[in-house]
Amino acid sequence: MSAALNATASLYDTASLYDRVKRVIPAIEWPVFADDIAAIIQLKRERRAVVLAHNYQTPEIFNCVADIVGDSLALAREAIRVDADVIVLAGVHFMAETAKLLNPGKTVLIPDPEAGCSLADSITPADMRLLRERYPGVPIVTYVNTSAAVKAASDICCTSGNARKIVESLGAPHVIMVPDEYLAQNIAQETGVQIITWAGHCEVHERFTASQIRTLRRENPGVVVLAHPECPPEVVAEADFAGSTAMMSDFVDARAPARVLLVTECSMSDNIAVRHPEVEFVRPCNLCPHMKRITLPKIRVALEQMGHEVRIEASVAARARQAVERMLAVR
Ligand code: 13P
Ligand code: SF4
């Protein structure tokens, strides 16, 4: 088939998918996506593959090629349940590692291995050894936004969706929580547990300020403000609700506020707007450059070439898996 005929066929095949995202993707942009989407759908069938996509993925990935979407906790949980030979993780590297830890027998692909995270980059296994030496006997909770090697050096993992529950489950007067200083401070305030923090920050959420939120409230009367707990505590204090990306999404689904401000990454608003035309989104969002490394063409190439496969050294994987499984066992 000629390239022009191919393109027309792809547009026809993907018409119903475009209908889903037409509120957030201009019609003029769709032909750029349609061919890759049709190819990815076909490749998923041939490879027995599924695409797991984080809430920060762009709308054409999130709504048109993903089989499972969610926050870090949901992706970790669902990774165990997927019936497929191949998992393509449309998200950042630590998420792909978590999927591999929980699915050692499956092939896990990350479309761009450079899709990192400022939090994961802020702490190393050597730092973890120093913390153990300095605070003997104090349990270490590791945010999932870390490398497998750092998870392996910790006692238990947490995500933004279960951090409070995990810290409380330990029943300890002191807890070390790494590497997100703000998440740790926010959880310390919620639980009253004394938390020893690490100076890691999310480069997306640390840029929001309390005065910015106050200004946006003045300019947008009645706006409901939802913040991610990776934001500094003074920003969370300005919000009506704080929670993981899935908790923010659930909040909008349940209450459908007339106007909402999601204090988090940009694509979240687009992805929720797809199913909530009645909600007005105020958008002072910040982009995550790492999440944005994942694109449709890279997902297509990953499936065509079965690259870039995530591999974790066996002894590291065994200990890191234990920390993730301990987290998943806390209900
Ligand atoms: P969630 O687990 O809330 O989706 O957060 C992941 C993340 O990277 C937020 O910046
Ligand atoms: Fe990491 Fe922040 Fe990007 Fe999430 S938004 S992946 S925490 S840099």
Side-chain angles (χ1 to χ4, degrees), residues 201-218:
H201 301 132
C202 162
E203 66 188 85
V204 175
H205 292 94
E206 72 175 348
R207 281 187 279 149
F208 292 108
T209 65
S211 72
Q212 181 189 13
I213 308 303
R214 284 194 293 271
T215 305
L216 286 161
R217 269 204 200 274
R218 267 198 308 279

Side-chain angles (χ1 to χ4, degrees), residues 48-311:
R48 269 190 44 80
V50 291
V51 174
L52 267 56
H54 184 260
N55 290 326
Y56 293 163
Q57 289 298 293
T58 46
E60 68 282 3
I61 295 174
F62 187 90
N63 296 285
C64 303
V65 299
D67 300 285
I68 291 161
V69 295
D71 64 359
S72 311
L73 182 59
L75 295 183
R77 286 218 172 104
E78 293 300 324
I80 308 171
R81 289 195 264 266
V82 289
D83 175 26
D85 298 332
V86 179
I87 295 174
V88 180
L89 203 302
V92 291
H93 195 262
F94 75 80
M95 295 175 177
E97 276 194 338
T98 306
K100 182 65 184 177
L101 289 173
L102 296 170
N103 287 280
K106 291 192 176 117
T107 302
V108 176
L109 307 176
I110 174 109
D112 186 332
E114 301 295 314
C117 169
S118 64
L119 282 168
D121 287 346
S122 72
I123 191 159
T124 65
D127 296 327
M128 297 291 278
R129 281 193 290 278
L130 287 176
L131 282 168
R132 286 269 187 223
E133 275 168 33
R134 183 146 180 209
Y135 302 104
V138 180
I140 305 186
V141 180
T142 306
Y143 194 30
V144 281
N145 297 39
T146 45
S147 66
V150 165
K151 287 183 179 75
S154 73
D155 297 300
I156 188 166
C157 287
C158 77
T159 71
S160 56
N162 62 14
R164 178 184 184 149
K165 218 188 280 179
I166 298 296
V167 167
E168 286 176 341
S169 77
L170 297 171
H174 295 93
V175 167
I176 300 169
M177 192 168 176
V178 296
D180 190 338
E181 183 176 26
Y182 298 144
L183 176 70
Q185 289 171 345
N186 287 321
I187 297 299
Q189 266 182 23
E190 274 184 43
T191 58
V193 174
Q194 292 205 8
I195 300 187
I196 297 155
T197 62
W198 185 258
H201 301 132
C202 162
E203 66 188 85
V204 175
H205 292 94
E206 72 175 348
R207 281 187 279 149
F208 292 108
T209 65
S211 72
Q212 181 189 13
I213 308 303
R214 284 194 293 271
T215 305
L216 286 161
R217 269 204 200 274
R218 267 198 308 279
E219 290 171 354
N220 298 278
V223 71
V224 175
V225 180
L226 313 183
H228 195 278
E230 288 172 10
C231 292
E234 65 274 17
V235 172
V236 169
E238 295 293 333
D240 300 299
F241 172 83
S244 77
T245 56
M247 289 156 87
M248 287 192 259
S249 183
D250 290 348
F251 185 105
V252 179
D253 286 345
R255 313 233 190 135
R259 252 181 182 179
V260 72
L261 159 57
L262 304 181
V263 189
T264 191
E265 213 270 349
C266 296
S267 293
M268 272 285 293
S269 296
D270 287 336
N271 291 330
I272 302 177
V274 163
R275 54 179 193 276
H276 286 288
E278 77 287 14
V279 176
E280 180 196 340
F281 289 82
V282 178
R283 294 169 189 253
C285 60
N286 295 329
L287 272 175
C288 174
H290 311 289
M291 287 281 178
K292 265 54 224 186
R293 278 182 170 273
I294 308 299
T295 60
L296 284 176
K298 287 184 192 169
I299 295 174
R300 180 177 182 168
V301 171
L303 280 164
E304 280 167 354
Q305 301 180 0
M306 294 296 282
H308 304 269
E309 186 171 352
V310 176
R311 292 177 201 274

